[in-house]
């Protein structure tokens, strides 16, 4: 699965911190329809704490604050990895959309993100605990859906921000839902 690491993010408030209160002791088994998740994350030896995890995830979302683009926040949120994410976003206007997404977990190295719009679908791996959030470019148009498979036996959170950016600030593939081959979509 290709991972996309593009540039620029804006601050996310801690409005979803309340979601973290119950995620430390999730103990249900993952079912096959939830998709395979890599669970061999190295143990850092530190206990996983929801408040610390939220701060680390926000720093990952803020990693490219000084890249020169001027994103405008369209939406943001968070979820437990045990619940997963299934969110449909509207994408009107002339500005491109950039989905910035990260995860901070205990024992899960990667989550599966699926982006869909109409019949187009792309699947990506989201690295958990990375210092920089993963970023995905979506052109304006019809609504699109972002889905992160749940990890029923996992402890952790997913944070995302949906920003709009000027077409000239699109870096990398210009449509991560349709997908780009090497050399396509230089933004």
């Amino acid at each position: 699965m290709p991972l996309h690491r593009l540039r620029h993010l804006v601050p996310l408030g801690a409005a979803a911190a309340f979601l973290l209160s119950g995620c430390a002791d999730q103990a249900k088994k993952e079912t096959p329809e939830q998709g395979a998740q890599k669970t061999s994350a190295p143990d850092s030896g530190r206990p996983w704490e929801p408040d610390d995890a939220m701060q680390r995830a926000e720093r990952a979302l803020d990693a490219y604050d000084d890249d020169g683009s001027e994103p405008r926040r369209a939406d943001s949120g968070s979820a437990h990895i045990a619940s997963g994410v299934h969110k449909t976003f509207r994408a009107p206007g002339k500005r491109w959309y950039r989905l910035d997404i990260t995860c901070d977990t205990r024992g899960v190295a990667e989550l599966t993100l699926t982006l869909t719009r109409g019949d187009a679908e792309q699947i990506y791996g989201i690295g958990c605990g990375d210092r920089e959030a993963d970023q995905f470019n979506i052109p304006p148009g019809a609504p699109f859906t972002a889905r992160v498979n749940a990890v029923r036996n996992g402890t952790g959170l997913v944070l995302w921000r949906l920003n709009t950016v000027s077409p000239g600030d699109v870096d990398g593939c210009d449509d991560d839902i349709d997908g780009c081959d090497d050399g396509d979509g230089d933004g």
Side-chain angles (χ1 to χ4, degrees):
M1 286 184 227
L3 291 178
H4 290 269
R5 304 232 187 268
L6 304 175
R7 294 184 185 94
H8 192 62
L9 302 166
V10 295
L12 172 70
F18 73 94
L19 290 174
L20 303 176
S21 61
C23 65
D25 294 318
Q26 296 293 335
K28 295 181 183 177
K29 298 264 184 192
E30 179 181 337
T31 60
E33 66 273 5
Q34 293 165 323
Q37 307 296 321
K38 293 184 182 179
T39 57
S40 59
D43 185 1
S44 67
R46 63 172 161 70
W48 189 89
E49 296 289 335
D51 291 338
D52 294 340
M54 178 67 84
Q55 289 176 8
R56 285 188 300 270
E58 286 178 348
R59 281 192 301 268
L61 287 172
D62 293 338
Y64 292 114
D65 272 352
D66 297 326
D67 76 348
S69 67
E70 296 180 19
R72 296 180 193 157
R73 177 91 44 93
D75 199 351
S76 63
S78 67
H80 293 259
I81 65 169
S83 302
V85 175
H86 190 113
K87 177 99 173 133
T88 300
F89 298 98
R90 292 179 16 133
K94 296 184 186 287
R95 290 172 60 92
W96 247 247
Y97 288 80
R98 191 183 65 223
L99 178 65
D100 303 335
I101 189 165
T102 190
C103 47
D104 193 285
T105 65
R106 178 175 60 206
V108 179
E110 185 177 273
L111 297 177
T112 301
L113 168 70
T114 305
L115 296 174
T116 58
R117 176 184 267 166
D119 293 335
E121 177 177 280
Q122 291 292 322
I123 299 172
Y124 298 96
I126 301 298
C128 296
D130 292 348
R131 292 183 184 265
E132 300 168 346
D134 293 287
Q135 298 180 320
F136 302 91
N137 296 312
I138 297 106
F144 69 94
T145 300
R147 188 178 72 244
V148 176
N149 292 346
V151 180
R152 297 280 182 225
N153 61 344
T155 299
L157 56 96
V158 178
L159 267 71
W160 72 87
R161 292 180 189 155
L162 181 66
N163 298 303
T164 63
V165 295
S166 296
D169 288 333
V170 174
D171 189 15
C173 180
D174 64 354
D175 188 345
D176 285 314
I177 297 175
D178 273 344
C180 296
D181 296 327
D182 291 337
D184 288 351
D186 58 8

